[in-house]
Amino acid sequence: MAEIRVRSTNERISGEENVRAFLDRQEVLYEHWNADKLPAELHNKFVLSDEEKATILATFDEEIRDLAARRGYQIWDVISLSDSTPNIEELLKKFEQIHTHTEDEIRGIVSGRGIFIIKGDEQTGYFDVELEPGDVISVPENKAHFFTLMDNREIIAVRLFIEKDGWIANNIEDPTFA
């Protein structure tokens, strides 16, 4: 289950209802899928073939299509990142820059752990959303954020897009980020 850390106060928010309420106030969608549906042979496997990615998409097809229908997403894929990913350090440097998009950035965590760092309202400032299997998050368009891996450096996630070219990051400098 997702957990939130408010960076300015180090306050921690846990529990699905509390997390959802906090993220709702920040205009961030949070849902939870049943990650136990993932076939056992794909649990904690972070180097995937195209066939295995297709299996993941098929496993969560109902959830993906429901979310897509409600939010206008047109296409989806699976991303898998670990220390086995070629050029992982370069990818992480690219991910770990504060940016915005002209569409939502959505991740449904299937395996592993990841973290979104998001700029909240003026009173809240930046907060971390630590995600684990089953957590689904949608950061709204034009909201400053970035995504990275947790200490385990392993994640598999379903991503959904409105545009066929996916998200285009518009990097920003934000002196309030610490």
Side-chain angles (χ1 to χ4, degrees):
M1 196 63 50
E3 188 169 306
I4 295 168
R5 179 179 71 95
V6 178
R7 288 174 164 248
S8 62
T9 63
N10 215 27
E11 173 191 8
R12 285 210 164 282
I13 301 166
S14 59
E16 187 171 352
E17 288 182 29
N18 296 330
V19 166
R20 182 172 282 124
F22 176 88
L23 291 175
D24 280 349
R25 287 191 302 275
Q26 300 300 324
E27 300 175 335
V28 175
L29 173 80
Y30 174 77
E31 297 182 356
H32 198 78
W33 294 348
N34 179 5
D36 293 337
K37 289 175 54 173
L38 186 67
E41 67 272 12
L42 295 178
H43 282 264
N44 299 313
K45 183 175 184 192
F46 297 97
V47 178
L48 301 172
S49 68
D50 289 342
E51 183 179 274
E52 290 167 326
K53 289 179 180 181
T55 297
I56 291 169
L57 292 175
T59 299
F60 294 99
D61 186 67
E62 184 178 331
E63 293 88 345
I64 293 167
R65 290 187 184 282
D66 175 64
L67 183 57
R70 286 184 284 126
R71 307 278 295 193
Y73 307 134
Q74 302 295 315
I75 58 174
W76 38 88
D77 69 8
V78 172
I79 186 169
S80 179
L81 299 171
S82 70
D83 284 331
S84 299
T85 303
N87 304 315
I88 186 68
E89 296 303 329
E90 291 172 31
L91 284 172
L92 291 176
K93 282 181 189 170
K94 182 176 147 185
F95 289 167
E96 294 172 353
Q97 294 180 7
I98 300 169
H99 60 272
T100 62
H101 302 283
T102 56
E103 67 176 85
D104 302 348
E105 183 167 343
I106 307 89
R107 293 239 171 52
I109 309 306
V110 174
S111 192
R113 299 186 64 204
I115 184 168
F116 264 106
I117 293 85
I118 303 170
K119 186 172 186 174
D121 58 33
E122 196 171 301
Q123 180 182 347
T124 305
Y126 280 91
F127 58 92
D128 303 345
V129 185
E130 300 170 4
L131 303 165
E132 57 186 43
D135 291 327
V136 179
I137 189 169
S138 178
V139 179
E141 63 182 306
N142 299 315
K143 190 174 244 339
H145 70 279
F146 69 89
F147 179 82
T148 193
L149 301 179
M150 300 285 285
D151 291 341
N152 66 348
R153 294 173 53 101
E154 297 174 324
I155 196 161
I156 299 172
V158 174
R159 307 180 303 173
L160 293 90
F161 306 90
I162 295 172
E163 300 292 331
K164 65 178 176 63
D165 295 330
W167 311 301
I168 298 172
N170 301 306
N171 292 339
I172 60 172
E173 294 293 326
D174 187 349
T176 66
F177 177 74

